[in-house]
Amino acid sequence: PLLHPAEEWPRHRQPGHRPEHLGPFTPVKLGHLATPRARVGSIVVRCHRFDEMVAFWSKALGYVPREEPEADWVVLTAPSGGGGPNLSLARVGERMAPPPEADSAIHLDLYTTDAAAEVDRLLALGARRHPVDAPDGADFVVLVDPEGYRFCVVQKQHPAK
């Protein structure tokens, strides 16, 4: 199955379970540690179909190479230098994306005010629909990129939020 019911997970991995040896949860005051000094600068994707991925994600996000791409590395960034983290692509020798029936450990959510039109546009650029549909009434559609990595197109009233 695509998703495992909680009963199949070890007790310590079930949502909301806290191992007894850790005692009750107590929030910690972090003081100066509570102020972040870092931000997500780039999300790195390792891919075998490097050239297709560069073309797809450049068009999908409207990003451009930050500097001249190398044969096995490129950093894509918003043309204005803002708008979120960079997307870096690194060429690898073999496909690394999980098979469609496996659950991804991480994926991108693309926010838009017109999900239907954005899905059509991304499909025309080379995305494919994921074989498992979102639940009824969901505000997202699951797609896969040319390498096979999942991403979601999420309907939002305000795409920046």
PDB file of all heavy atoms in Angstrom, residues 47 49-65 69-70 73-76 87-91 121-122 124-127 145-147:
ATOM      1  N   CYS A  47      19.655  14.151  -9.713  1.00  0.00           N
ATOM      2  CA  CYS A  47      18.847  13.610 -10.808  1.00  0.00           C
ATOM      3  C   CYS A  47      19.721  12.996 -11.902  1.00  0.00           C
ATOM      4  O   CYS A  47      20.821  13.458 -12.181  1.00  0.00           O
ATOM      5  CB  CYS A  47      17.947  14.692 -11.394  1.00  0.00           C
ATOM      6  SG  CYS A  47      18.792  16.213 -11.850  1.00  0.00           S
ATOM      7  N   ARG A  49      18.289  12.434 -15.094  1.00  0.00           N
ATOM      8  CA  ARG A  49      17.837  13.091 -16.327  1.00  0.00           C
ATOM      9  C   ARG A  49      18.082  14.603 -16.175  1.00  0.00           C
ATOM     10  O   ARG A  49      17.167  15.411 -16.254  1.00  0.00           O
ATOM     11  CB  ARG A  49      16.377  12.760 -16.567  1.00  0.00           C
ATOM     12  CG  ARG A  49      16.159  11.257 -16.761  1.00  0.00           C
ATOM     13  CD  ARG A  49      14.714  10.869 -16.744  1.00  0.00           C
ATOM     14  NE  ARG A  49      14.073  11.303 -17.980  1.00  0.00           N
ATOM     15  CZ  ARG A  49      12.840  10.995 -18.310  1.00  0.00           C
ATOM     16  NH1 ARG A  49      12.104  10.251 -17.513  1.00  0.00           N
ATOM     17  NH2 ARG A  49      12.322  11.429 -19.436  1.00  0.00           N
ATOM     18  N   PHE A  50      19.321  14.955 -15.968  1.00  0.00           N
ATOM     19  CA  PHE A  50      19.736  16.299 -15.600  1.00  0.00           C
ATOM     20  C   PHE A  50      19.232  17.366 -16.573  1.00  0.00           C
ATOM     21  O   PHE A  50      18.606  18.343 -16.162  1.00  0.00           O
ATOM     22  CB  PHE A  50      21.268  16.337 -15.502  1.00  0.00           C
ATOM     23  CG  PHE A  50      21.844  17.666 -15.132  1.00  0.00           C
ATOM     24  CD1 PHE A  50      21.816  18.107 -13.818  1.00  0.00           C
ATOM     25  CD2 PHE A  50      22.440  18.467 -16.091  1.00  0.00           C
ATOM     26  CE1 PHE A  50      22.364  19.334 -13.466  1.00  0.00           C
ATOM     27  CE2 PHE A  50      22.988  19.696 -15.749  1.00  0.00           C
ATOM     28  CZ  PHE A  50      22.951  20.126 -14.437  1.00  0.00           C
ATOM     29  N   ASP A  51      19.504  17.204 -17.864  1.00  0.00           N
ATOM     30  CA  ASP A  51      19.122  18.228 -18.847  1.00  0.00           C
ATOM     31  C   ASP A  51      17.609  18.431 -18.890  1.00  0.00           C
ATOM     32  O   ASP A  51      17.133  19.570 -18.962  1.00  0.00           O
ATOM     33  CB  ASP A  51      19.659  17.877 -20.235  1.00  0.00           C
ATOM     34  CG  ASP A  51      21.179  17.867 -20.273  1.00  0.00           C
ATOM     35  OD1 ASP A  51      21.796  18.661 -19.540  1.00  0.00           O
ATOM     36  OD2 ASP A  51      21.756  17.047 -21.017  1.00  0.00           O
ATOM     37  N   GLU A  52      16.836  17.344 -18.826  1.00  0.00           N
ATOM     38  CA  GLU A  52      15.375  17.448 -18.813  1.00  0.00           C
ATOM     39  C   GLU A  52      14.893  18.155 -17.552  1.00  0.00           C
ATOM     40  O   GLU A  52      13.963  18.964 -17.600  1.00  0.00           O
ATOM     41  CB  GLU A  52      14.738  16.063 -18.875  1.00  0.00           C
ATOM     42  CG  GLU A  52      14.873  15.374 -20.215  1.00  0.00           C
ATOM     43  CD  GLU A  52      14.296  13.982 -20.162  1.00  0.00           C
ATOM     44  OE1 GLU A  52      13.047  13.873 -20.013  1.00  0.00           O
ATOM     45  OE2 GLU A  52      15.070  13.017 -20.253  1.00  0.00           O
ATOM     46  N   MET A  53      15.545  17.846 -16.425  1.00  0.00           N
ATOM     47  CA  MET A  53      15.144  18.458 -15.152  1.00  0.00           C
ATOM     48  C   MET A  53      15.455  19.956 -15.149  1.00  0.00           C
ATOM     49  O   MET A  53      14.657  20.756 -14.666  1.00  0.00           O
ATOM     50  CB  MET A  53      15.837  17.760 -13.988  1.00  0.00           C
ATOM     51  CG  MET A  53      15.326  16.346 -13.743  1.00  0.00           C
ATOM     52  SD  MET A  53      13.722  16.332 -12.939  1.00  0.00           S
ATOM     53  CE  MET A  53      14.225  16.668 -11.249  1.00  0.00           C
ATOM     54  N   VAL A  54      16.605  20.344 -15.692  1.00  0.00           N
ATOM     55  CA  VAL A  54      16.950  21.770 -15.766  1.00  0.00           C
ATOM     56  C   VAL A  54      15.910  22.498 -16.616  1.00  0.00           C
ATOM     57  O   VAL A  54      15.381  23.542 -16.217  1.00  0.00           O
ATOM     58  CB  VAL A  54      18.370  21.980 -16.334  1.00  0.00           C
ATOM     59  CG1 VAL A  54      18.634  23.452 -16.618  1.00  0.00           C
ATOM     60  CG2 VAL A  54      19.427  21.419 -15.384  1.00  0.00           C
ATOM     61  N   ALA A  55      15.586  21.943 -17.769  1.00  0.00           N
ATOM     62  CA  ALA A  55      14.599  22.576 -18.651  1.00  0.00           C
ATOM     63  C   ALA A  55      13.229  22.638 -17.979  1.00  0.00           C
ATOM     64  O   ALA A  55      12.565  23.684 -17.996  1.00  0.00           O
ATOM     65  CB  ALA A  55      14.515  21.815 -19.974  1.00  0.00           C
ATOM     66  N   PHE A  56      12.804  21.522 -17.374  1.00  0.00           N
ATOM     67  CA  PHE A  56      11.484  21.485 -16.753  1.00  0.00           C
ATOM     68  C   PHE A  56      11.368  22.484 -15.612  1.00  0.00           C
ATOM     69  O   PHE A  56      10.451  23.311 -15.593  1.00  0.00           O
ATOM     70  CB  PHE A  56      11.156  20.068 -16.243  1.00  0.00           C
ATOM     71  CG  PHE A  56       9.870  20.032 -15.470  1.00  0.00           C
ATOM     72  CD1 PHE A  56       8.653  20.021 -16.136  1.00  0.00           C
ATOM     73  CD2 PHE A  56       9.865  20.039 -14.082  1.00  0.00           C
ATOM     74  CE1 PHE A  56       7.458  20.010 -15.427  1.00  0.00           C
ATOM     75  CE2 PHE A  56       8.677  20.026 -13.370  1.00  0.00           C
ATOM     76  CZ  PHE A  56       7.469  20.009 -14.047  1.00  0.00           C
ATOM     77  N   TRP A  57      12.278  22.420 -14.640  1.00  0.00           N
ATOM     78  CA  TRP A  57      12.155  23.273 -13.455  1.00  0.00           C
ATOM     79  C   TRP A  57      12.399  24.741 -13.768  1.00  0.00           C
ATOM     80  O   TRP A  57      11.808  25.614 -13.139  1.00  0.00           O
ATOM     81  CB  TRP A  57      13.032  22.761 -12.317  1.00  0.00           C
ATOM     82  CG  TRP A  57      12.401  21.563 -11.668  1.00  0.00           C
ATOM     83  CD1 TRP A  57      12.836  20.267 -11.725  1.00  0.00           C
ATOM     84  CD2 TRP A  57      11.199  21.544 -10.907  1.00  0.00           C
ATOM     85  NE1 TRP A  57      11.970  19.449 -11.036  1.00  0.00           N
ATOM     86  CE2 TRP A  57      10.958  20.212 -10.521  1.00  0.00           C
ATOM     87  CE3 TRP A  57      10.298  22.519 -10.504  1.00  0.00           C
ATOM     88  CZ2 TRP A  57       9.856  19.846  -9.753  1.00  0.00           C
ATOM     89  CZ3 TRP A  57       9.195  22.155  -9.741  1.00  0.00           C
ATOM     90  CH2 TRP A  57       8.984  20.825  -9.376  1.00  0.00           C
ATOM     91  N   SER A  58      13.234  25.032 -14.776  1.00  0.00           N
ATOM     92  CA  SER A  58      13.407  26.429 -15.187  1.00  0.00           C
ATOM     93  C   SER A  58      12.088  27.007 -15.671  1.00  0.00           C
ATOM     94  O   SER A  58      11.678  28.107 -15.283  1.00  0.00           O
ATOM     95  CB  SER A  58      14.453  26.539 -16.299  1.00  0.00           C
ATOM     96  OG  SER A  58      15.725  26.188 -15.844  1.00  0.00           O
ATOM     97  N   LYS A  59      11.399  26.245 -16.524  1.00  0.00           N
ATOM     98  CA  LYS A  59      10.116  26.715 -17.062  1.00  0.00           C
ATOM     99  C   LYS A  59       9.005  26.646 -16.022  1.00  0.00           C
ATOM    100  O   LYS A  59       8.158  27.540 -15.958  1.00  0.00           O
ATOM    101  CB  LYS A  59       9.740  25.884 -18.291  1.00  0.00           C
ATOM    102  CG  LYS A  59      10.665  26.108 -19.468  1.00  0.00           C
ATOM    103  CD  LYS A  59      10.350  25.158 -20.600  1.00  0.00           C
ATOM    104  CE  LYS A  59      11.396  25.267 -21.695  1.00  0.00           C
ATOM    105  NZ  LYS A  59      11.259  24.163 -22.653  1.00  0.00           N
ATOM    106  N   ALA A  60       9.000  25.604 -15.209  1.00  0.00           N
ATOM    107  CA  ALA A  60       7.943  25.435 -14.213  1.00  0.00           C
ATOM    108  C   ALA A  60       7.940  26.573 -13.207  1.00  0.00           C
ATOM    109  O   ALA A  60       6.885  27.086 -12.836  1.00  0.00           O
ATOM    110  CB  ALA A  60       8.103  24.095 -13.495  1.00  0.00           C
ATOM    111  N   LEU A  61       9.118  26.979 -12.747  1.00  0.00           N
ATOM    112  CA  LEU A  61       9.223  28.009 -11.711  1.00  0.00           C
ATOM    113  C   LEU A  61       9.543  29.397 -12.254  1.00  0.00           C
ATOM    114  O   LEU A  61       9.489  30.374 -11.511  1.00  0.00           O
ATOM    115  CB  LEU A  61      10.309  27.611 -10.701  1.00  0.00           C
ATOM    116  CG  LEU A  61      10.077  26.303  -9.955  1.00  0.00           C
ATOM    117  CD1 LEU A  61      11.282  25.976  -9.085  1.00  0.00           C
ATOM    118  CD2 LEU A  61       8.798  26.357  -9.133  1.00  0.00           C
ATOM    119  N   GLY A  62       9.918  29.484 -13.539  1.00  0.00           N
ATOM    120  CA  GLY A  62      10.350  30.767 -14.082  1.00  0.00           C
ATOM    121  C   GLY A  62      11.722  31.155 -13.560  1.00  0.00           C
ATOM    122  O   GLY A  62      12.073  32.328 -13.530  1.00  0.00           O
ATOM    123  N   TYR A  63      12.496  30.161 -13.129  1.00  0.00           N
ATOM    124  CA  TYR A  63      13.837  30.396 -12.581  1.00  0.00           C
ATOM    125  C   TYR A  63      14.871  30.389 -13.694  1.00  0.00           C
ATOM    126  O   TYR A  63      14.657  29.831 -14.769  1.00  0.00           O
ATOM    127  CB  TYR A  63      14.190  29.298 -11.580  1.00  0.00           C
ATOM    128  CG  TYR A  63      13.639  29.486 -10.179  1.00  0.00           C
ATOM    129  CD1 TYR A  63      12.520  30.269  -9.910  1.00  0.00           C
ATOM    130  CD2 TYR A  63      14.237  28.844  -9.108  1.00  0.00           C
ATOM    131  CE1 TYR A  63      12.028  30.421  -8.626  1.00  0.00           C
ATOM    132  CE2 TYR A  63      13.746  28.985  -7.815  1.00  0.00           C
ATOM    133  CZ  TYR A  63      12.650  29.772  -7.587  1.00  0.00           C
ATOM    134  OH  TYR A  63      12.170  29.919  -6.309  1.00  0.00           O
ATOM    135  N   VAL A  64      16.006  31.004 -13.419  1.00  0.00           N
ATOM    136  CA  VAL A  64      17.121  31.059 -14.357  1.00  0.00           C
ATOM    137  C   VAL A  64      18.382  30.576 -13.641  1.00  0.00           C
ATOM    138  O   VAL A  64      18.468  30.647 -12.414  1.00  0.00           O
ATOM    139  CB  VAL A  64      17.340  32.496 -14.886  1.00  0.00           C
ATOM    140  CG1 VAL A  64      16.139  32.968 -15.694  1.00  0.00           C
ATOM    141  CG2 VAL A  64      17.631  33.456 -13.748  1.00  0.00           C
ATOM    142  N   PRO A  65      19.377  30.092 -14.401  1.00  0.00           N
ATOM    143  CA  PRO A  65      20.637  29.711 -13.749  1.00  0.00           C
ATOM    144  C   PRO A  65      21.283  30.928 -13.085  1.00  0.00           C
ATOM    145  O   PRO A  65      21.342  32.012 -13.675  1.00  0.00           O
ATOM    146  CB  PRO A  65      21.494  29.192 -14.899  1.00  0.00           C
ATOM    147  CG  PRO A  65      20.514  28.784 -15.952  1.00  0.00           C
ATOM    148  CD  PRO A  65      19.366  29.750 -15.816  1.00  0.00           C
ATOM    149  N   PRO A  69      25.667  27.168 -16.075  1.00  0.00           N
ATOM    150  CA  PRO A  69      25.573  25.789 -15.580  1.00  0.00           C
ATOM    151  C   PRO A  69      26.822  24.978 -15.917  1.00  0.00           C
ATOM    152  O   PRO A  69      27.448  25.181 -16.952  1.00  0.00           O
ATOM    153  CB  PRO A  69      24.363  25.218 -16.323  1.00  0.00           C
ATOM    154  CG  PRO A  69      23.594  26.395 -16.803  1.00  0.00           C
ATOM    155  CD  PRO A  69      24.609  27.493 -17.011  1.00  0.00           C
ATOM    156  N   GLU A  70      27.175  24.100 -15.002  1.00  0.00           N
ATOM    157  CA  GLU A  70      28.249  23.141 -15.258  1.00  0.00           C
ATOM    158  C   GLU A  70      27.623  21.891 -15.865  1.00  0.00           C
ATOM    159  O   GLU A  70      26.393  21.782 -15.927  1.00  0.00           O
ATOM    160  CB  GLU A  70      28.973  22.812 -13.950  1.00  0.00           C
ATOM    161  CG  GLU A  70      29.632  24.032 -13.320  1.00  0.00           C
ATOM    162  CD  GLU A  70      30.230  23.722 -11.953  1.00  0.00           C
ATOM    163  OE1 GLU A  70      30.515  22.542 -11.663  1.00  0.00           O
ATOM    164  OE2 GLU A  70      30.390  24.674 -11.172  1.00  0.00           O
ATOM    165  N   TRP A  73      25.955  20.320 -12.606  1.00  0.00           N
ATOM    166  CA  TRP A  73      25.473  21.141 -11.493  1.00  0.00           C
ATOM    167  C   TRP A  73      24.924  22.457 -11.997  1.00  0.00           C
ATOM    168  O   TRP A  73      25.512  23.102 -12.863  1.00  0.00           O
ATOM    169  CB  TRP A  73      26.624  21.411 -10.525  1.00  0.00           C
ATOM    170  CG  TRP A  73      26.279  22.322  -9.391  1.00  0.00           C
ATOM    171  CD1 TRP A  73      26.597  23.644  -9.281  1.00  0.00           C
ATOM    172  CD2 TRP A  73      25.547  22.014  -8.210  1.00  0.00           C
ATOM    173  NE1 TRP A  73      26.114  24.165  -8.103  1.00  0.00           N
ATOM    174  CE2 TRP A  73      25.460  23.169  -7.412  1.00  0.00           C
ATOM    175  CE3 TRP A  73      24.939  20.851  -7.733  1.00  0.00           C
ATOM    176  CZ2 TRP A  73      24.803  23.213  -6.194  1.00  0.00           C
ATOM    177  CZ3 TRP A  73      24.285  20.885  -6.520  1.00  0.00           C
ATOM    178  CH2 TRP A  73      24.234  22.054  -5.756  1.00  0.00           C
ATOM    179  N   VAL A  74      23.777  22.852 -11.448  1.00  0.00           N
ATOM    180  CA  VAL A  74      23.220  24.167 -11.747  1.00  0.00           C
ATOM    181  C   VAL A  74      22.420  24.638 -10.525  1.00  0.00           C
ATOM    182  O   VAL A  74      21.803  23.831  -9.827  1.00  0.00           O
ATOM    183  CB  VAL A  74      22.331  24.160 -13.011  1.00  0.00           C
ATOM    184  CG1 VAL A  74      21.079  23.323 -12.821  1.00  0.00           C
ATOM    185  CG2 VAL A  74      21.978  25.570 -13.448  1.00  0.00           C
ATOM    186  N   VAL A  75      22.479  25.928 -10.282  1.00  0.00           N
ATOM    187  CA  VAL A  75      21.656  26.550  -9.252  1.00  0.00           C
ATOM    188  C   VAL A  75      20.647  27.430  -9.973  1.00  0.00           C
ATOM    189  O   VAL A  75      21.028  28.388 -10.647  1.00  0.00           O
ATOM    190  CB  VAL A  75      22.500  27.387  -8.260  1.00  0.00           C
ATOM    191  CG1 VAL A  75      21.593  28.074  -7.238  1.00  0.00           C
ATOM    192  CG2 VAL A  75      23.549  26.524  -7.573  1.00  0.00           C
ATOM    193  N   LEU A  76      19.362  27.073  -9.852  1.00  0.00           N
ATOM    194  CA  LEU A  76      18.301  27.866 -10.456  1.00  0.00           C
ATOM    195  C   LEU A  76      17.766  28.824  -9.406  1.00  0.00           C
ATOM    196  O   LEU A  76      17.562  28.446  -8.251  1.00  0.00           O
ATOM    197  CB  LEU A  76      17.172  26.955 -10.954  1.00  0.00           C
ATOM    198  CG  LEU A  76      17.570  25.929 -12.008  1.00  0.00           C
ATOM    199  CD1 LEU A  76      16.392  25.007 -12.327  1.00  0.00           C
ATOM    200  CD2 LEU A  76      18.089  26.605 -13.265  1.00  0.00           C
ATOM    201  N   LEU A  87      16.683  26.374  -6.377  1.00  0.00           N
ATOM    202  CA  LEU A  87      16.562  24.948  -6.651  1.00  0.00           C
ATOM    203  C   LEU A  87      17.839  24.544  -7.362  1.00  0.00           C
ATOM    204  O   LEU A  87      18.114  25.008  -8.468  1.00  0.00           O
ATOM    205  CB  LEU A  87      15.339  24.648  -7.510  1.00  0.00           C
ATOM    206  CG  LEU A  87      15.095  23.175  -7.796  1.00  0.00           C
ATOM    207  CD1 LEU A  87      14.753  22.420  -6.507  1.00  0.00           C
ATOM    208  CD2 LEU A  87      13.974  23.002  -8.808  1.00  0.00           C
ATOM    209  N   SER A  88      18.640  23.704  -6.710  1.00  0.00           N
ATOM    210  CA  SER A  88      19.902  23.246  -7.285  1.00  0.00           C
ATOM    211  C   SER A  88      19.732  21.832  -7.795  1.00  0.00           C
ATOM    212  O   SER A  88      19.120  20.993  -7.121  1.00  0.00           O
ATOM    213  CB  SER A  88      21.008  23.290  -6.229  1.00  0.00           C
ATOM    214  OG  SER A  88      21.175  24.597  -5.745  1.00  0.00           O
ATOM    215  N   LEU A  89      20.264  21.563  -8.971  1.00  0.00           N
ATOM    216  CA  LEU A  89      20.183  20.236  -9.571  1.00  0.00           C
ATOM    217  C   LEU A  89      21.583  19.682  -9.747  1.00  0.00           C
ATOM    218  O   LEU A  89      22.476  20.385 -10.242  1.00  0.00           O
ATOM    219  CB  LEU A  89      19.464  20.305 -10.914  1.00  0.00           C
ATOM    220  CG  LEU A  89      18.037  20.869 -10.861  1.00  0.00           C
ATOM    221  CD1 LEU A  89      17.497  21.100 -12.266  1.00  0.00           C
ATOM    222  CD2 LEU A  89      17.121  19.960 -10.080  1.00  0.00           C
ATOM    223  N   ALA A  90      21.772  18.429  -9.318  1.00  0.00           N
ATOM    224  CA  ALA A  90      23.065  17.758  -9.415  1.00  0.00           C
ATOM    225  C   ALA A  90      22.893  16.467 -10.213  1.00  0.00           C
ATOM    226  O   ALA A  90      22.016  15.657  -9.909  1.00  0.00           O
ATOM    227  CB  ALA A  90      23.601  17.440  -8.022  1.00  0.00           C
ATOM    228  N   ARG A  91      23.723  16.281 -11.231  1.00  0.00           N
ATOM    229  CA  ARG A  91      23.650  15.077 -12.068  1.00  0.00           C
ATOM    230  C   ARG A  91      24.226  13.879 -11.306  1.00  0.00           C
ATOM    231  O   ARG A  91      25.270  13.985 -10.675  1.00  0.00           O
ATOM    232  CB  ARG A  91      24.441  15.276 -13.357  1.00  0.00           C
ATOM    233  CG  ARG A  91      24.332  14.095 -14.338  1.00  0.00           C
ATOM    234  CD  ARG A  91      25.282  14.237 -15.523  1.00  0.00           C
ATOM    235  NE  ARG A  91      25.119  15.471 -16.252  1.00  0.00           N
ATOM    236  CZ  ARG A  91      24.336  15.640 -17.323  1.00  0.00           C
ATOM    237  NH1 ARG A  91      23.635  14.626 -17.789  1.00  0.00           N
ATOM    238  NH2 ARG A  91      24.274  16.808 -17.928  1.00  0.00           N
ATOM    239  N   ARG A 121      -0.570  23.569 -17.356  1.00  0.00           N
ATOM    240  CA  ARG A 121       0.696  24.137 -17.835  1.00  0.00           C
ATOM    241  C   ARG A 121       1.870  23.203 -17.513  1.00  0.00           C
ATOM    242  O   ARG A 121       2.715  22.926 -18.362  1.00  0.00           O
ATOM    243  CB  ARG A 121       0.925  25.505 -17.184  1.00  0.00           C
ATOM    244  CG  ARG A 121       2.143  26.253 -17.706  1.00  0.00           C
ATOM    245  CD  ARG A 121       2.317  27.587 -16.987  1.00  0.00           C
ATOM    246  NE  ARG A 121       2.910  27.414 -15.673  1.00  0.00           N
ATOM    247  CZ  ARG A 121       4.221  27.313 -15.441  1.00  0.00           C
ATOM    248  NH1 ARG A 121       5.080  27.381 -16.442  1.00  0.00           N
ATOM    249  NH2 ARG A 121       4.674  27.161 -14.220  1.00  0.00           N
ATOM    250  N   LEU A 122       1.900  22.675 -16.300  1.00  0.00           N
ATOM    251  CA  LEU A 122       2.994  21.796 -15.894  1.00  0.00           C
ATOM    252  C   LEU A 122       2.965  20.465 -16.647  1.00  0.00           C
ATOM    253  O   LEU A 122       4.018  19.926 -16.996  1.00  0.00           O
ATOM    254  CB  LEU A 122       2.955  21.574 -14.380  1.00  0.00           C
ATOM    255  CG  LEU A 122       3.262  22.833 -13.567  1.00  0.00           C
ATOM    256  CD1 LEU A 122       2.856  22.652 -12.111  1.00  0.00           C
ATOM    257  CD2 LEU A 122       4.727  23.219 -13.688  1.00  0.00           C
ATOM    258  N   ALA A 124       1.930  20.139 -19.695  1.00  0.00           N
ATOM    259  CA  ALA A 124       2.438  20.479 -21.030  1.00  0.00           C
ATOM    260  C   ALA A 124       3.965  20.611 -21.031  1.00  0.00           C
ATOM    261  O   ALA A 124       4.608  20.376 -22.059  1.00  0.00           O
ATOM    262  CB  ALA A 124       1.797  21.771 -21.531  1.00  0.00           C
ATOM    263  N   LEU A 125       4.545  20.965 -19.871  1.00  0.00           N
ATOM    264  CA  LEU A 125       6.003  21.100 -19.768  1.00  0.00           C
ATOM    265  C   LEU A 125       6.710  19.764 -19.550  1.00  0.00           C
ATOM    266  O   LEU A 125       7.930  19.693 -19.639  1.00  0.00           O
ATOM    267  CB  LEU A 125       6.369  22.035 -18.609  1.00  0.00           C
ATOM    268  CG  LEU A 125       6.010  23.500 -18.777  1.00  0.00           C
ATOM    269  CD1 LEU A 125       6.321  24.270 -17.497  1.00  0.00           C
ATOM    270  CD2 LEU A 125       6.754  24.103 -19.963  1.00  0.00           C
ATOM    271  N   GLY A 126       5.954  18.713 -19.243  1.00  0.00           N
ATOM    272  CA  GLY A 126       6.578  17.398 -19.066  1.00  0.00           C
ATOM    273  C   GLY A 126       6.276  16.707 -17.750  1.00  0.00           C
ATOM    274  O   GLY A 126       6.737  15.590 -17.526  1.00  0.00           O
ATOM    275  N   ALA A 127       5.510  17.347 -16.875  1.00  0.00           N
ATOM    276  CA  ALA A 127       5.098  16.664 -15.641  1.00  0.00           C
ATOM    277  C   ALA A 127       4.087  15.575 -16.004  1.00  0.00           C
ATOM    278  O   ALA A 127       3.501  15.586 -17.092  1.00  0.00           O
ATOM    279  CB  ALA A 127       4.480  17.655 -14.662  1.00  0.00           C
ATOM    280  N   ASP A 145       7.746  15.021 -11.637  1.00  0.00           N
ATOM    281  CA  ASP A 145       8.590  15.708 -12.612  1.00  0.00           C
ATOM    282  C   ASP A 145       9.234  14.684 -13.556  1.00  0.00           C
ATOM    283  O   ASP A 145       8.992  13.481 -13.421  1.00  0.00           O
ATOM    284  CB  ASP A 145       9.615  16.602 -11.894  1.00  0.00           C
ATOM    285  CG  ASP A 145      10.657  15.829 -11.107  1.00  0.00           C
ATOM    286  OD1 ASP A 145      10.843  14.606 -11.306  1.00  0.00           O
ATOM    287  OD2 ASP A 145      11.325  16.460 -10.271  1.00  0.00           O
ATOM    288  N   PRO A 146      10.037  15.106 -14.535  1.00  0.00           N
ATOM    289  CA  PRO A 146      10.620  14.167 -15.491  1.00  0.00           C
ATOM    290  C   PRO A 146      11.473  13.060 -14.857  1.00  0.00           C
ATOM    291  O   PRO A 146      11.608  11.975 -15.428  1.00  0.00           O
ATOM    292  CB  PRO A 146      11.478  15.058 -16.394  1.00  0.00           C
ATOM    293  CG  PRO A 146      10.794  16.384 -16.348  1.00  0.00           C
ATOM    294  CD  PRO A 146      10.302  16.503 -14.932  1.00  0.00           C
ATOM    295  N   GLU A 147      12.028  13.306 -13.697  1.00  0.00           N
ATOM    296  CA  GLU A 147      12.841  12.295 -13.006  1.00  0.00           C
ATOM    297  C   GLU A 147      11.967  11.313 -12.222  1.00  0.00           C
ATOM    298  O   GLU A 147      12.399  10.216 -11.915  1.00  0.00           O
ATOM    299  CB  GLU A 147      13.826  12.990 -12.053  1.00  0.00           C
ATOM    300  CG  GLU A 147      14.791  12.063 -11.368  1.00  0.00           C
ATOM    301  CD  GLU A 147      15.971  11.641 -12.226  1.00  0.00           C
ATOM    302  OE1 GLU A 147      16.143  12.157 -13.356  1.00  0.00           O
ATOM    303  OE2 GLU A 147      16.739  10.785 -11.769  1.00  0.00           O
TER     304      GLU A 147
END
